[in-house]
C-alpha cells in the first residue's frame, strides 16, 4: 500500500527557512516522480516543485524558483523540500505527491498518490 507522510511544517517568521520531509512507504521511490504542491485557504492546490523519477531532474514553480530545493534520498525513501526566504504568501498546507514512472507534469490530476499534508505558516 502506497503511503506518503509529510512532516516538518510549522510557524516561521518571514525570511526564515523550513525543511519539509515526505516519508514514502509501500513502493520503490526511485521509480516514482515525486512532487510538492500547496494549498492556501480558499485557493486551489498549486504546484511547487517536482523531482522526475528518471535521473531526478527538478522543476519549480515560478513563485518558489530560487527559494526552494526539492531533493530525494532513494535509499531512505524520503523526499525533501528545503524552503528559504519564506514569505507570508507561502502560508499553506504542503502536500507530497507521487506518480509511478510519472511524466514531467505540474498538474494535480497527474499524481495518483497523496499525503495528508503539513501546515506551513509564515508570519510577517
Amino acid at each position: 500500500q502506497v503511503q506518503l507522510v509529510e512532516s516538518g511544517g510549522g510557524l516561521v517568521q518571514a525570511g526564515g527557512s523550513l525543511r519539509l520531509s515526505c516519508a514514502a512507504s509501500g513502493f520503490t521511490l526511485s521509480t516514482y516522480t515525486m512532487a510538492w504542491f500547496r494549498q492556501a485557504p480558499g485557493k486551489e492546490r498549486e504546484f511547487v516543485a517536482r523531482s522526475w523519477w528518471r535521473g531526478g531532474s527538478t522543476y519549480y514553480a515560478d513563485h518558489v524558483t530560487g527559494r526552494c530545493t526539492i531533493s530525494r534520498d532513494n535509499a531512505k525513501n524520503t523526499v525533501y523540500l528545503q524552503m528559504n526566504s519564506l514569505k507570508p504568501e507561502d502560508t499553506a498546507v504542503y502536500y507530497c505527491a507521487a506518480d509511478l514512472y510519472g511524466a514531467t507534469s505540474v498538474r494535480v490530476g497527474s499524481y495518483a498518490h497523496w499525503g495528508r499534508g503539513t501546515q506551513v505558516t509564515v508570519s510577517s
Side-chain angles (χ1 to χ4, degrees):
Q1 180 181 355
V2 172
Q3 188 173 14
L4 302 171
V5 179
E6 302 94 335
S7 62
L11 174 64
V12 63
Q13 289 189 332
S17 299
L18 282 174
R19 188 176 83 155
L20 307 183
S21 298
C22 172
S25 60
F27 65 98
T28 302
L29 191 65
S30 61
T31 60
Y32 278 71
T33 290
M34 302 298 297
W36 288 94
F37 288 76
R38 70 184 186 185
Q39 188 166 17
K43 295 187 176 181
E44 292 187 351
R45 193 167 299 188
E46 64 176 1
F47 170 79
V48 177
R50 64 125 175 90
S51 170
W52 194 32
W53 71 271
R54 198 168 188 177
S57 67
T58 58
Y59 179 74
Y60 300 92
D62 288 343
H63 54 78
V64 299
T65 296
R67 299 189 298 121
C68 289
T69 302
I70 185 172
S71 62
R72 63 166 71 202
D73 186 332
N74 289 335
K76 294 183 178 180
N77 251 30
T78 303
V79 180
Y80 304 97
L81 184 68
Q82 177 68 44
M83 303 190 295
N84 301 320
S85 302
L86 284 162
K87 306 174 183 179
E89 49 265 43
D90 293 319
T91 295
V93 177
Y94 283 71
Y95 296 91
C96 178
D99 192 40
L100 179 63
Y101 297 122
T104 55
S105 176
V106 302
R107 296 188 305 112
V108 170
S110 296
Y111 292 85
H113 307 287
W114 293 83
R116 293 187 175 183
T118 184
Q119 176 70 47
V120 171
T121 303
V122 184
S123 63
S124 57

